[in-house]
């Protein structure tokens, strides 16, 4: 698959209390689960977008839309990208298939993440987005319906309570 995988792992994790990338879901840190998912999908090029090292900077946390925008405009050529959040540990290749199958790139109608963009290219001539829906519009992605049986797989884990609920609702797996 000639696609670059991007894992968004830069949130402030205020509600979780610790960096979600290191939170274990069924015994595996969420960042490791995301990396294993992309490896299982045979995506060799993986970028992890995280928080800046200098957290004292005025724009210490620009948000995921701005981080993605900055990364995309820094690329030398248009790329096909699959963007997944670190805090969605139930994702599987099957869940992502409807997005990957869409010719022009897509996201699920009720979720801004994950998404696939084909030939992603942006330039700084436009104002940088502050919200994910603005970035998706800039990339001209289609909104597609998520299959109803993927509801749990598309849950974000933002709090310890949400983590416990999702773990209780899902069976441990050895795959991504």
């Amino acid at each position: 698959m000639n696609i670059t995988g991007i894992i968004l792992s830069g949130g402030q994790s205020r509600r979780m209390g610790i960096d979600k990338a290191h939170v274990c879901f069924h015994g595996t840190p969420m960042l490791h689960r995301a990396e294993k998912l992309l490896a299982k999908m045979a995506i060799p090029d993986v970028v992890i977008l995280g928080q800046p090292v200098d957290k004292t900077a005025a724009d210490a946390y620009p948000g995921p839309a701005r981080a993605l925008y900055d990364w995309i405009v820094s690329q030398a050529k248009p790329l096909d990208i699959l963007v997944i959040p670190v805090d969605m540990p139930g994702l599987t290749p099957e869940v992502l298939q409807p997005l990957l199958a869409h010719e022009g790139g897509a996201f699920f109608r009720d979720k801004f993440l994950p998404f696939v963009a084909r030939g992603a290219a942006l330039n700084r001539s436009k104002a940088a987005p502050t919200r994910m829906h603005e970035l998706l519009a800039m990339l001209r992605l289609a909104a597609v319906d998520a299959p109803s049986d993927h509801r749990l797989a598309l849950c974000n884990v933002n709090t310890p309570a949400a983590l416990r609920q999702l773990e209780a609702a899902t069976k441990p797996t050895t795959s991504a």
Side-chain angles (χ1 to χ4, degrees), residues 8-166:
L8 294 178
S9 183
Q12 295 175 326
S13 301
R14 285 188 189 131
R15 291 176 284 171
M16 184 61 78
I18 62 170
D19 185 345
K20 289 186 274 185
H22 304 294
V23 171
C24 288
F25 180 77
H26 291 305
T28 304
M30 286 200 272
L31 179 58
H32 186 61
R33 288 181 72 81
E35 291 172 320
K36 284 175 49 179
L37 169 64
L38 296 176
K40 183 177 182 179
M41 295 174 68
I43 297 175
D45 296 324
V46 176
V47 174
I48 301 168
L49 293 181
Q51 292 183 10
V53 174
D54 180 9
K55 293 185 182 184
T56 62
D59 194 21
Y61 181 66
R66 177 61 187 267
L68 276 165
Y69 171 85
D70 288 344
W71 184 85
I72 292 169
V73 298
S74 74
Q75 300 309 298
K77 63 180 181 174
L79 296 172
D80 291 347
I81 59 174
L82 165 62
V83 179
I84 63 172
V86 76
D87 64 357
M88 206 174 271
L91 288 176
T92 64
E94 295 76 24
V95 171
L96 297 169
Q97 190 54 43
L99 301 178
L100 290 164
H102 198 278
E103 186 177 308
F107 63 97
F108 291 123
R109 192 171 312 283
D110 296 329
K111 295 275 190 183
F112 296 136
L113 293 169
F115 72 81
V116 170
R118 303 288 181 185
L122 297 169
N123 60 52
R124 292 211 185 267
S125 65
K126 295 185 179 187
T130 57
R131 307 297 250 163
M132 192 60 71
H133 69 88
E134 296 168 350
L135 178 65
L136 298 177
M138 291 172 92
L139 292 169
R140 297 187 176 114
L141 302 182
V144 299
D145 292 323
S148 59
D149 59 338
H150 293 330
R151 184 182 58 78
L152 287 176
L154 292 169
C155 285
N156 292 88
V157 175
N158 293 310
T159 66
L163 175 67
R164 288 189 299 273
Q165 287 176 333
L166 189 58

